[in-house]
Amino acid sequence: MSFSTRIAAELRGDRVVWAILVLLGLFSILAVYSSTGTLAYRERGGNTEAYLFKHGIILAAGFVVTYFAHLLHYRRYMNWSPVLLPMAIILLLYTMMLGPVINEARRWIVLPVIGLSFQTSDFAKLALIIYVARAISSKQDYIEDFRSAFLPIIVPVVVVCGLIAPADLSTSIILFLACLLMMFVGRVALKYIGLLMVTGGVVFVLLIMLGRTFPEHIRVATWESRLQQFYSPEPGGEDTYQIDQAKIALGNGGLTGVGPGNSTQRNYLPYAHADFIYAVICEEYGVLGGATIIGLYLLLFFRVTRLITKSPKAFGAMVAMGLSLVIVVQAFFHIGINVNLLPVTGLTLPLISMGGTSLLFTCIAFGIILSVSKYIESVAE
């Protein structure tokens, strides 16, 4: 058996989704190596290879996680959801109250012994999407009933998104939108979806009111500042520094870019390896490189849409749709921020930005999607 045949036999599931995973990983290696120059000089005496090695190890671990996640039958994740969701809520509460303040926010907990930081919202996103997919699929026979079908969905969505919002509003919004779209696809009545939107708005207003009293826990001042910067910027001012540098990067890139490793704005963009990595990609690979990234995320969404039309089980369709929505919507939020279509927030580009837990949980999401596609393939055979 040849090496390529062996790999094909081991990697079941949608080949296009596997290809998207690998291509995004390759872009990640190139972009992270290029964008960590300033960070390396500031913290490691110019040793950019250290960051490349670290990121490469995490990415390789992520691919291994994807492989093992795709081996499991996706219904196992459904069986685990009653445990995963309470764990996520407990971790979010702990993070909000006792998590260390990093970059002016309580988003992380530090794992004992190994000392690595862990962003609990990444775990919560995965747990909530699996739970909502289970709830929608198991209640299809009485999906129109408010008490039996809708309340068990709306309460966890509001609680989890409400716990994430104080420290990470953008992630909360993305997760909330993904859950709304899942409910729409899952035939939940539009009046209930509208009610969830109203409830989300009420919770947001309450968070703003609480933020006036507890500014150390709810970042209302930061939300207001970023909205003001976006809608009423002072050209050339300190408040617009990040987006001004991103615009310069986009302008420098032109059609084909300045070439790999030749970005100049990576030296001026704060968090070029994370929050503004798309701008660095556009500078080095131009409009063509930026369009390729957009195309890969869109292709992922369309492949998952194709999968769910073939899925004989409601849970498989819903969980694949929900996970792909979280990945794709976050990607387009990140891109929108980089091209000044949205206010600046600390959002990474899924599977491309340098990161630890965010990258690993994205890889788990890919693994679950591939598990669904593997099952559909086996049924088709």
Side-chain angles (χ1 to χ4, degrees):
M1 182 183 291
S2 67
F3 181 69
S4 59
T5 307
R6 178 69 179 272
I7 291 178
E10 290 288 336
L11 304 181
R12 303 298 301 274
D14 193 307
R15 297 290 187 269
V16 176
V17 175
W18 277 112
I20 292 168
L21 176 72
V22 172
L23 288 172
L24 289 175
L26 290 174
F27 260 108
S28 178
I29 290 289
L30 294 171
V32 166
Y33 183 56
S34 178
S35 60
T36 51
T38 300
L39 183 66
Y41 277 101
R42 188 170 65 242
E43 297 187 2
R44 291 183 179 266
N47 185 8
T48 53
E49 285 75 15
Y51 286 102
L52 177 64
F53 181 75
K54 177 184 176 182
H55 182 68
I57 291 294
I58 295 173
L59 189 61
F63 283 1
V64 171
V65 167
T66 300
Y67 172 73
F68 283 108
H70 107 287
L71 290 180
L72 295 175
H73 196 292
Y74 66 84
R75 291 186 68 84
R76 288 200 181 185
Y77 300 104
M78 181 180 73
N79 296 335
W80 294 340
S81 67
V83 177
L84 294 177
L85 186 66
M87 284 177 58
I89 292 172
I90 291 168
L91 287 172
L92 288 171
L93 286 168
Y94 177 85
T95 305
M96 179 186 291
M97 303 307 298
L98 301 173
V101 178
I102 302 175
N103 295 332
E104 301 180 356
R106 296 179 187 269
R107 301 178 185 175
W108 296 264
I109 57 175
V110 178
L111 299 177
V113 183
I114 57 177
L116 291 177
S117 58
F118 169 74
Q119 192 161 337
T120 50
S121 61
D122 291 321
F123 174 71
K125 284 191 292 186
L126 194 66
L128 182 62
I129 292 296
I130 294 172
Y131 174 86
V132 171
R134 173 192 168 109
I136 291 174
S137 62
S138 64
K139 302 177 189 303
Q140 282 296 301
D141 292 339
Y142 48 94
I143 196 67
E144 299 293 329
D145 185 77
F146 179 81
R147 179 173 297 179
S148 301
F150 184 63
L151 277 182
I153 300 173
I154 185 176
V155 172
V157 171
V158 171
V159 169
V160 172
C161 291
L163 290 174
I164 294 174
D168 195 352
L169 181 62
S170 52
T171 296
S172 177
I173 291 172
I174 290 169
L175 186 56
F176 190 77
L177 287 175
C179 291
L180 281 176
L181 290 170
M182 288 174 69
M183 292 167 64
F184 178 77
V185 174
R187 299 189 301 112
V188 173
L190 289 177
K191 60 182 179 181
Y192 294 152
I193 295 176
L195 180 60
L196 177 56
M197 295 173 67
V198 171
T199 305
V202 171
V203 171
F204 181 63
V205 171
L206 289 174
L207 285 174
I208 293 175
M209 294 170 63
L210 287 171
R212 308 293 186 194
T213 308
F214 305 102
E216 68 277 11
H217 292 292
I218 303 176
R219 307 174 70 203
V220 173
T222 302
W223 303 345
E224 292 175 341
S225 172
R226 287 176 175 173
L227 285 173
Q228 185 177 0
Q229 291 168 21
F230 182 72
Y231 289 109
S232 304
E234 294 182 13
E238 236 178 81
D239 291 343
T240 61
Y241 175 80
Q242 296 181 87
I243 200 61
D244 287 343
Q245 301 307 313
K247 288 178 181 177
I248 294 171
L250 296 170
N252 288 345
L255 181 63
T256 58
V258 297
N262 293 323
S263 168
T264 56
Q265 293 311 112
R266 63 185 176 182
N267 300 318
Y268 303 99
L269 275 167
Y271 307 108
H273 57 284
D275 301 352
F276 284 93
I277 202 166
Y278 183 75
V280 174
I281 290 172
C282 288
E283 183 177 13
E284 295 191 344
Y285 301 95
V287 172
L288 295 178
T292 300
I293 297 296
I294 293 173
L296 288 173
Y297 287 114
L298 285 176
L299 182 59
L300 172 65
F301 179 73
F302 287 125
R303 292 302 291 188
V304 171
T305 302
R306 176 178 171 272
L307 282 177
I308 65 175
T309 59
K310 295 183 175 183
S311 176
K313 302 292 183 180
F315 174 75
M318 293 310 305
V319 76
M321 171 61 76
L323 293 173
S324 67
L325 281 170
V326 167
I327 294 170
V328 174
V329 172
Q330 179 171 330
F332 279 91
F333 266 59
H334 173 98
I335 293 167
I337 291 163
N338 277 236
V339 300
N340 198 30
L341 292 177
L342 294 171
V344 173
T345 61
L347 274 179
T348 57
L349 189 57
L351 209 68
I352 293 182
S353 294
M354 188 174 79
T357 54
S358 61
L359 194 153
L360 290 174
F361 279 109
T362 301
C363 287
I364 293 173
F366 266 91
I368 297 173
I369 292 169
L370 287 163
S371 175
V372 175
S373 69
K374 181 184 70 172
Y375 174 77
I376 293 171
E377 280 184 358
S378 66
V379 171
E381 290 171 358

